[in-house]
Structure formats: structure tokens, C-alpha cells
Amino acid sequence: MKLVLASHNQGKLQELAAILEPAIPGLELVSYDGPEPVEDGVSYLENALIKARAAYKHTGLPAIADDSGLAVEILGGSPGIFTAIWAGGRDNLANRRLLLAQLNDIADEHRAASFVCTIAMVSDEGEQSFTGVWPGSISREERGEFGHGYDPIFIPEGFEVTAAELPPEVKNSMSHRAMALQQLISALSSRL
């Protein structure tokens, strides 16, 4: 079974491959090489569907795409769908620094946040979506060398280390993306 990963984000592609390939024997992951659609949706689901539909249309193969972000409670769920461009561009370091500056005077007990991931799958059989939410909080400084994006400032619930300090296999077993992917794996397994 071929499945297109509708993303040009290499970190995300590596995470998806690390989780999907071992879980579904015979699955062939295909990188998407088509044009990036404009993500003008107002929710994670809408943006994931925009990307999955574009990849499906471009390749004719079943396609998955995700939209994910960081929702900080005291910021009303922001950066949310603007997570990747929070500081005005796709600069992870600038995004993290801006968020840390915005929360500088906020007490630790009010730094609750969640990573959210919605995966959309588009195929000849229609459209499906799967959502995972990984609760935690925002640290006071960047720590860790693994992961990408906001991982160096996100402390998963039940941990004292950031997501970037967790070994990739540990993070990939419990992250928001892992939760959504487990739902996708169940859906794909029922097709085989």
C-alpha cells in the first residue's frame, strides 16, 4: 500500500516514518513533491485537509497531512494554527524566543500548554481525520537537543524534562502526533 506524506517538513517526515513504517507491514511511504497549497484554514483540521487534498489530487494516491501546533492556555490557545509563524516567519528559534518572552512574567502554575495534532487522510474512500492532544507546560528556558519546533520549551505532563530532552523513541511513543497516528494506524490496518 502506498501512502503519500503531504509535507515538505523533514522533521515531521522522519517522525511519521518512524511511527508508521514499523506499524503497518508492506506500507510504502511516498514523499510529496508537489506544490505547497495555501494553508488558509481556520483550524488544524481545515489546514490538514487542504494539504491532504492537494497531495491526493497531485498524485492520485491516498494522502495524509497533519496540522499541528502549540496551544498555551493563558494565551487563549495561541499560537495555535499560527505556531509555525508565531514570530512572523518560519524560524523555530525566533518563535520559541518570542513565546518565552511573552510568558516571562507568568508563574509556573499558569504556563499550561498542549501540543495538538490533527491528521487528515484523503483517498478514493473519502476523508477521515484523527486528533491527538499532548498536555504539558512551557519551560522557562530552552533545553534539549532532540526534536524540532517548540520541543525545547515544552515539558510533557508527568515529566520534568522538555520534549527535546526525551529520546526520539520515547517522544514518538507518546506525542500528540503519535496519538493521532495510532488512530490512523487502526484505520489503515482495518483496510488491509
Side-chain angles (χ1 to χ4, degrees):
M1 175 181 188
K2 287 188 177 182
L3 184 65
V4 177
L5 302 177
S7 175
H8 293 115
N9 179 322
Q10 290 304 308
K12 194 178 290 186
L13 288 172
Q14 289 171 355
E15 271 187 46
L16 292 172
I19 296 168
L20 285 176
E21 287 179 337
I24 304 173
L27 179 68
E28 181 183 347
L29 299 174
V30 180
S31 295
Y32 177 58
D33 62 357
E36 288 262 357
V38 175
E39 293 180 48
D40 56 2
V42 296
S43 69
Y44 298 117
L45 176 58
E46 286 182 22
N47 284 332
L49 280 169
I50 287 168
K51 294 181 279 190
R53 287 171 181 154
Y56 173 68
K57 182 177 179 182
H58 182 76
T59 64
L61 296 171
I64 60 168
D66 86 331
D67 196 50
S68 56
L70 182 64
V72 179
E73 284 184 24
I74 201 159
L75 297 179
S78 293
I81 63 170
F82 303 108
T83 295
I85 57 170
W86 192 236
R90 293 187 177 274
D91 182 332
N92 289 328
L93 180 59
N95 289 336
R96 290 191 302 266
R97 286 183 175 167
L98 174 60
L99 185 61
L100 287 175
Q102 290 169 324
L103 299 177
N104 188 50
D105 296 329
I106 304 300
D108 290 348
E109 63 267 18
H110 299 295
R111 297 172 75 94
S114 294
F115 270 129
V116 180
C117 175
T118 295
I119 297 174
M121 180 170 65
V122 178
S123 69
D124 292 340
E125 297 176 23
E127 299 178 348
Q128 290 180 277
S129 66
F130 316 92
T131 298
V133 178
W134 195 20
S137 62
I138 302 300
S139 65
R140 295 210 163 266
E141 72 281 326
E142 296 188 35
R143 299 191 317 255
E145 298 179 17
F146 299 115
H148 57 92
Y150 291 79
D151 288 352
I153 63 170
F154 180 76
I155 301 171
E157 189 173 84
F159 287 83
E160 303 217 355
V161 298
T162 67
E165 293 176 292
L166 293 172
E169 61 275 8
V170 173
K171 177 193 166 195
N172 289 344
S173 72
M174 68 176 58
S175 73
H176 54 310
R177 192 164 289 115
M179 291 177 210
L181 282 169
Q182 288 306 317
Q183 297 167 42
L184 170 67
I185 289 165
S186 294
L188 288 173
S189 296
S190 68
R191 292 180 177 198
L192 301 176

